Amino acid sequence: MTHSPLQVPLIERAKLFGNPTRAQGRISPDGRWLSWLAPRDGVMNLWLAPAGDPADARPMTAETARPIGQYLWAPDSRSLLYVQDKGGDENFLLYRVDIESGAETCLTPFENTRVLIVGTSVTQRGRILVGLNNRDPQWHDVHTLDLATGELTELMRGDGFAGFLADDALTLRVAVRPNAEGGMDFHRIEAGAVADAPFAATTLEDALTTQPVGFTTNGRTLYWLDSRGRNTAALIAETDGQRRVIAEDARADIGDTLTHPLTGEVEAYSVDYLTKEWIGLDLPIGATLKRLRELLEGDIEITSRTDDDRRWTVAVDPVTGPPAVYLYDRQADRLDLFYVSRPELEHAPLVPMHALELRARDGLTLTAYLSLPHGSATAREAVPDQPLPMVLLVHGGPWARDHHGYNPYHQWLANRGYAVLSVNFRGSTGFGKGFISAGDLEWGARMHDDLVDAVEWAVAGGIADRERIAIMGGSYGGYATLVGLTFTPELFACGVDIVGPSNLETLLQTIPPYWKPVVQQFHRRMGNPETPEGLQLLKDRSPLHKADRIVRPLLIGQGANDPRVKQAESDQIASAMKAGNIPLTYVLFPDEGHGVARPENNIAFNAITEEFLSANLGGRCEPAGETLAASTAQFLARA
């Protein structure tokens, strides 16, 4: 007999969305050090400890406002490198922290500049290659960076190129140039000069599923993920002009690869259809992956390896528990817990995530993920005892995808009494080029139909109560929310739009300058504003022009510094709704960008969202308390 989800304890928002205890745990290439991100005075910073004594930890950085989001080890193991922007503006600069002295240096001390890591090396460990757009914001010029001195030396101007690929000698070997077909041309670089004629090319169809991914250390073999001549991207090795298919899967693109830390040879690859599976190519690596699957319960990821390949850090995702990271000694077959990311959730009533296949109205198969409140259904069934209020959670991109695994939003909403459904609508990546192309010019049309079909599936299956369904998402998911409330105004009881564009015309006018190399893809997949019919399509698919159709409550969250979806996108539809006296709640964060990075702000917006959903769907709600006061949230409208 199941019990009511109302009897299950509330999981505090702070436990789901506050700082984790630790994150991104790694071991240095030389095996001497362990590193991770953890709070220091409430802000995520870099920490370090000897590999032999993890308890002897010390903070290496002192960020006081914005959390450090990503970092890497310098190849020589002498420093940690991280990137940081200002208030979410995505102008990321590169910083170095010396292991011995603790001294911190900004390696790219420029204004309005976004750094890219172009190449690292195991044979040239004191240098890396970086791309900088400080000369021209549209293009990234490649520089070699001496990590010890900080000296930058320009190697090649980026004018007209979407990117570059270097070998392990840090020699630029491939230049990528956008072409008139909406795809990319790949040019060899020899003696520092780019060849006039490309040696390979893609059209729009293969643009998101075909790219070179790296050289072996000896520079002889170039690996590709390549969908040319097939639907899903295969892993291909190109050696001395000969191409060999290493792996392919008819259901999904080949995803991540595991390469030897010194030779660069691919030893394993992953396929992620409904769930992610790792397949070993190298017998010892395959045996190690099999052993880890025996020792650990959940999906595993290898997050770092020492140069001698003896010690690994292994992340495990049990879905119904907080992710953890382990240290594995391959030689001794010894597995030690490094940390649990959120130990406060170890005994929380977390729920499974069901991986499903749905059918769109035109027969296209859609993968989807469903979470149900604790106790609302038996463990093996994905159908509750009675229809539930539901949140349709739409991913961003749209050229991205939802995955199976621990998801704090699924867990939070299920804990509040909602069924939670995420669907990989057409245009999502990972399922082959045909699935992506099925979304071309279908913003607000068949891409939305897929979401509607998922709702109808949930209603027909007894999962969702038709009168109590919300749509919620960020970026493209925010756009989908606005489409849901304007194009199908009676379908959803309410919507939560986070940094979603309301006007596709102005969205394309204000994209960041460094997106220019892929603007042709936007025009061909969304609508070309430079043609009369394309401009009309963008207008027709823009929720702003149908704002008067909104009849259900809307909550908007926006970062003032968002470089992708400018604040004007939210301002425009808010003004239209105010002009029509349509109730709206609009929350602005002056210190955030494309999404909410600071946990104080994330918790605050989720508190607002929780009250909003409770008022409109009837789910449970944790009192907001002092969370709003602790954030920078500003109400520009409050229904």
Side-chain angles (χ1 to χ4, degrees), residues 149-173:
T149 66
E151 181 181 2
L152 285 161
T153 304
E154 184 180 299
L155 293 183
M156 184 166 289
R157 293 264 167 121
D159 296 340
F161 294 104
F164 298 89
L165 187 67
D167 60 19
D168 193 75
L170 298 182
T171 300
L172 293 177
R173 296 274 298 273

Side-chain angles (χ1 to χ4, degrees), residues 178-184 202-205 207 518 520-521 524-525:
N179 60 37
E181 301 300 316
M184 295 292 168
T202 61
T203 61
L204 178 73
E205 183 184 36
V518 293
Q520 276 295 324
Q521 289 193 42
R524 288 170 176 259
R525 296 194 190 276

Side-chain angles (χ1 to χ4, degrees), residues 520-556:
Q520 276 295 324
Q521 289 193 42
F522 288 127
H523 289 177
R524 288 170 176 259
R525 296 194 190 276
M526 296 172 61
N528 188 348
E530 297 171 359
T531 67
E533 61 273 21
L535 182 59
Q536 188 60 50
L537 180 68
L538 293 171
K539 291 179 184 292
D540 291 343
R541 304 290 174 79
S542 294
L544 175 66
H545 303 309
K546 296 177 175 63
D548 60 341
R549 298 185 184 180
I550 298 176
V551 294
R552 299 293 167 81
L554 173 64
L555 167 62
I556 295 177

Side-chain angles (χ1 to χ4, degrees), residues 293-445:
R293 283 191 287 266
E294 294 170 351
L295 294 171
L296 297 168
E297 186 173 341
D299 295 333
I300 61 171
E301 293 286 341
I302 312 307
T303 56
S304 64
R305 301 160 73 178
T306 55
D307 285 338
D308 61 11
D309 211 20
R310 173 172 174 171
R311 284 170 291 177
W312 292 6
T313 55
V314 184
V316 61
D317 180 352
V319 183
T320 54
V325 174
Y326 289 81
L327 298 168
Y328 183 58
D329 187 317
R330 296 178 68 208
Q331 184 173 315
D333 188 30
R334 176 175 172 175
L335 189 72
D336 294 304
L337 179 66
F338 187 177
Y339 62 82
V340 176
S341 61
R342 296 181 184 272
E344 61 272 26
L345 293 179
E346 286 191 285
H347 302 292
L350 302 181
V351 298
M353 176 183 277
H354 303 276
L356 311 162
E357 288 183 333
L358 312 179
R359 191 77 66 180
R361 64 189 68 179
D362 62 358
L364 196 63
T365 299
L366 313 174
T367 61
Y369 302 98
L370 175 68
S371 299
L372 297 172
H374 196 285
S376 65
T378 60
R380 292 177 178 235
E381 293 293 328
V383 180
D385 300 333
Q386 59 187 12
L388 296 166
M390 186 177 85
V391 178
L392 180 68
L393 196 61
V394 187
H395 71 68
W399 304 293
R401 62 161 293 178
D402 285 308
H403 299 269
H404 181 263
Y406 168 81
N407 184 310
Y409 283 86
H410 271 245
Q411 296 292 351
W412 166 51
L413 294 168
N415 181 258
R416 296 325 190 234
Y418 307 115
V420 192
L421 181 62
S422 297
V423 59
N424 285 312
F425 48 88
R426 70 192 65 207
S428 301
T429 53
F431 307 99
K433 65 188 182 186
F435 195 81
I436 295 172
S437 296
D440 289 354
L441 304 180
E442 296 294 344
W443 284 49

